[in-house]
Amino acid sequence: MTDPSDSLRRQEILKRAARLFRRSGFERTTVRQIAAALEITSGSVFYYFESKEELLVAIMEDGIRDVHAAVAEGLAAKRGVAEKLLAMARCHLTALLGSNLDSLMVLLYEWRSLSPAAMKRVLASRNRYEDLWDRELAAAAARGWVDSDTVLVRQTVLGALNWAGQWYRAGSRFGIDALAHRMFAILMPRVHEQLDQGARSVPTGSSLPAALAQSGASPPIFGIQPTGAFSK
Amino acid sequence: MTDPSDSLRRQEILKRAARLFRRSGFERTTVRQIAAALEITSGSVFYYFESKEELLVAIMEDGIRDVHAAVAEGLAAKRGVAEKLLAMARCHLTALLGSNLDSLMVLLYEWRSLSPAAMKRVLASRNRYEDLWDRELAAAAARGWVDSDTVLVRQTVLGALNWAGQWYRAGSRFGIDALAHRMFAILMPRVHEQLDQGARSVPTGSSLPAALAQSGASPPIFGIQPTGAFSK
DNA sequence: GTCTATATGCGGATAGAC
DNA sequence: GTCTATCCGCATATAGAC
């Protein structure tokens, strides 16, 4: 097999695979299902990817590259530490909950299916991404705006943000930017106070309970979804 | 098959299955592996459980029952709203990170493998548990101690707590109680201020970075673990 | 490039001996 | 209760026609 890395078909396969992997998990999803969703046969999938695992690795590497790029860009566009941290939270959440939701959720929850070699590569990318956060959080801690245990702060903040992937659903009248701002105010109130007046006001949007009542769903503490993909 | 629900052997199987499900995922784990870990054969497992899925359901129901009981107990032992919320966070984290870590992680991350009927039962239990939180958070919101969007607060707080299951490892010199207190102070600072002096001081324990440096691990933003269970 | 057909192995579950 | 042996279906991956 050649490696037409940017073939259009290859991208279609990746996108569809990511959606199915998120819905049903890597193991439960079969190559036949991915192929059927694109109205091709499983043999064709193996023309583009040597193995099912290569699909998973490609999805994860795309995902982590996208979130890193988005956050680095948001970071570069701001000056102050507080503004930078807000931008990072907003960009992280946008990357996670936006058009890359499938890939990012696969990255977050399917890493056990990686081979050791692939795991090593993804870990290296992850560590580079964490460094972005640690640098800004250290600056905030030096000013007394967050707990001095910056690793704990990073885990707490990003844990809460990542968890949003479990319950946030697009189309709610509560937009991602408004959500990011509001979570930021909850998670780093002292940093939030440092923002200048204009930036501090929370973007408008109906309250979350109203938006969710509209959609009829109840956001979970545990990851269980009322309308998940079932086994059969 | 009879249903010796509280047979000792049955408990052993559940415990071992939970460990393997957490490490490798429900799908990757085979009944033969579970049996081999207990030095029995797969046929014996099917004497205690009708199917592999029944194993999963039992693990999850045990898990959610345990965390609910722990939090309800912590709640009942306290008077003030602030004290109740701190106790809830501590009990939730203790249930998650303590001896039930395997079961709770399976509950959090393997729900896609549930059949619709089983999902319905687990969802009902989950909703009852969420009610415990919503009641106390509403009381805190009424006093202006947390954002008025109590659903968002619940998702944020419990997301951060649940995420700790991804990175916290027992044996760190940073105990669970100290961790709970510190995360509580980060996540609900206004509530934390309401605690009386004695309760407000954070329990001692070396800082998290030190404890982690000791263990040589770096806590992840994404769930990927340096020392996870690999495919083979 | 996409297809059909198939090799190959594995996993859940069952039957029945002990 | 635990075992051995086995059925059955399915999934990854390959070979080779078109």
Side-chain angles (χ1 to χ4, degrees):
Chain A
M1 168 195 132
T2 56
D3 185 54
S5 324
D6 42 5
S7 135
L8 198 68
R9 190 57 133 198
R10 192 185 148 99
Q11 295 305 319
E12 288 174 347
I13 295 171
L14 280 177
K15 195 158 186 62
R16 199 53 79 116
R19 185 191 305 188
L20 289 167
F21 288 169
R22 173 164 82 94
R23 193 174 293 263
S24 311
F26 176 76
E27 304 294 338
R28 294 187 90 77
T29 304
T30 70
V31 176
R32 284 176 171 84
Q33 284 171 2
I34 299 166
L38 294 166
E39 296 179 298
I40 59 179
T41 59
S42 67
S44 300
V45 173
F46 287 101
Y47 172 79
Y48 293 94
F49 298 90
E50 281 190 351
S51 66
K52 188 186 173 187
E53 198 206 357
E54 202 193 296
L55 270 172
L56 180 62
V57 173
I59 290 167
M60 289 187 166
E61 292 192 327
D62 285 359
I64 201 163
R65 199 199 52 223
D66 290 346
V67 69
H68 186 117
V71 170
E73 191 179 353
L75 191 55
K78 301 290 178 181
R79 291 288 177 75
V81 172
E83 284 77 13
K84 279 176 191 271
L85 280 169
L86 174 59
M88 290 176 83
R90 198 182 52 241
C91 292
H92 183 90
L93 219 48
T94 302
L96 172 64
L97 302 179
S99 55
N100 285 322
L101 176 62
D102 294 331
S103 302
L104 269 291
M105 290 297 277
V106 169
L107 174 63
L108 286 175
Y109 298 112
E110 300 295 337
W111 54 269
R112 283 173 310 191
S113 297
L114 286 176
S115 69
M119 174 102 57
K120 199 176 167 185
R121 286 212 305 281
V122 180
L123 273 171
S125 303
R126 186 204 71 182
N127 291 338
R128 281 196 301 276
Y129 179 57
E130 287 178 345
D131 288 342
L132 290 184
W133 282 91
D134 287 338
R135 264 196 293 274
E136 282 326 300
L137 287 174
R143 288 161 175 78
W145 297 345
V146 298
D147 190 304
S148 62
D149 191 332
T150 53
V151 174
L152 177 58
V153 174
R154 188 191 74 204
Q155 295 305 109
T156 302
V157 170
L158 283 160
L161 294 180
N162 286 340
W163 196 256
Q166 301 261 12
W167 55 270
Y168 182 83
R169 289 299 161 257
S172 127
R173 288 182 305 169
F174 205 77
I176 296 176
D177 281 357
L179 177 68
H181 206 111
R182 203 134 177 178
M183 289 187 79
F184 185 75
I186 293 174
L187 290 164
M188 299 196 261
R190 301 281 319 274
V191 182
H192 185 252
E193 287 166 15
Q194 309 302 322
L195 297 171
D196 47 303
Q197 281 298 347
R200 206 183 314 170
S201 70
V202 175
T204 55
S206 59
S207 78
L208 196 60
L212 286 159
Q214 181 193 21
S215 76
S218 159
I221 286 180
F222 304 120
I224 310 158
Q225 296 293 337
T227 54
F230 298 129
S231 36
K232 316 217 161 191
Chain B
M1 168 197 130
T2 57
D3 185 55
S5 324
D6 43 3
S7 134
L8 198 68
R9 191 54 141 215
R10 191 184 149 100
Q11 296 304 319
E12 288 174 347
I13 294 171
L14 279 178
K15 194 158 186 62
R16 197 55 77 116
R19 185 191 304 188
L20 289 167
F21 289 168
R22 173 165 82 95
R23 192 174 294 261
S24 310
F26 176 76
E27 304 295 338
R28 293 187 89 77
T29 304
T30 70
V31 176
R32 285 174 171 84
Q33 282 171 6
I34 299 167
L38 294 166
E39 296 180 297
I40 58 180
T41 60
S42 66
S44 300
V45 173
F46 287 101
Y47 171 79
Y48 293 94
F49 298 89
E50 280 190 352
S51 68
K52 188 186 174 189
E53 199 206 358
E54 202 193 296
L55 270 172
L56 180 62
V57 172
I59 290 167
M60 289 187 166
E61 293 193 326
D62 285 0
I64 202 164
R65 200 198 53 223
D66 289 347
V67 69
H68 186 117
V71 169
E73 191 180 354
L75 190 56
K78 301 290 178 181
R79 292 287 177 75
V81 172
E83 284 76 13
K84 279 176 192 270
L85 280 168
L86 173 58
M88 289 175 83
R90 196 182 53 241
C91 292
H92 183 91
L93 218 48
T94 302
L96 173 64
L97 303 178
S99 55
N100 285 322
L101 176 61
D102 294 330
S103 303
L104 269 290
M105 290 296 279
V106 169
L107 174 63
L108 286 175
Y109 297 113
E110 300 294 337
W111 54 268
R112 284 174 309 193
S113 298
L114 287 176
S115 68
M119 175 101 57
K120 199 176 167 186
R121 286 213 305 281
V122 181
L123 274 171
S125 303
R126 185 204 71 182
N127 290 338
R128 281 197 301 276
Y129 180 57
E130 287 179 342
D131 288 343
L132 290 184
W133 282 91
D134 286 339
R135 263 196 294 276
E136 282 326 300
L137 287 175
R143 289 161 175 78
W145 298 345
V146 297
D147 190 303
S148 63
D149 191 333
T150 53
V151 174
L152 177 57
V153 174
R154 188 192 74 202
Q155 294 305 109
T156 302
V157 170
L158 283 160
L161 295 179
N162 286 340
W163 195 256
Q166 300 262 13
W167 55 269
Y168 182 83
R169 290 298 160 258
S172 128
R173 289 182 305 170
F174 206 77
I176 295 175
D177 281 357
L179 176 68
H181 206 112
R182 203 135 176 176
M183 290 188 78
F184 185 75
I186 293 173
L187 291 164
M188 298 197 260
R190 301 281 320 273
V191 182
H192 184 252
E193 285 167 16
Q194 309 302 323
L195 297 170
D196 48 302
Q197 280 300 346
R200 206 182 314 167
S201 70
V202 175
T204 56
S206 60
S207 79
L208 196 61
L212 286 159
Q214 181 193 21
S215 75
S218 160
I221 286 181
F222 305 120
I224 310 156
Q225 295 295 336
T227 54
F230 299 128
S231 38
K232 316 217 162 191

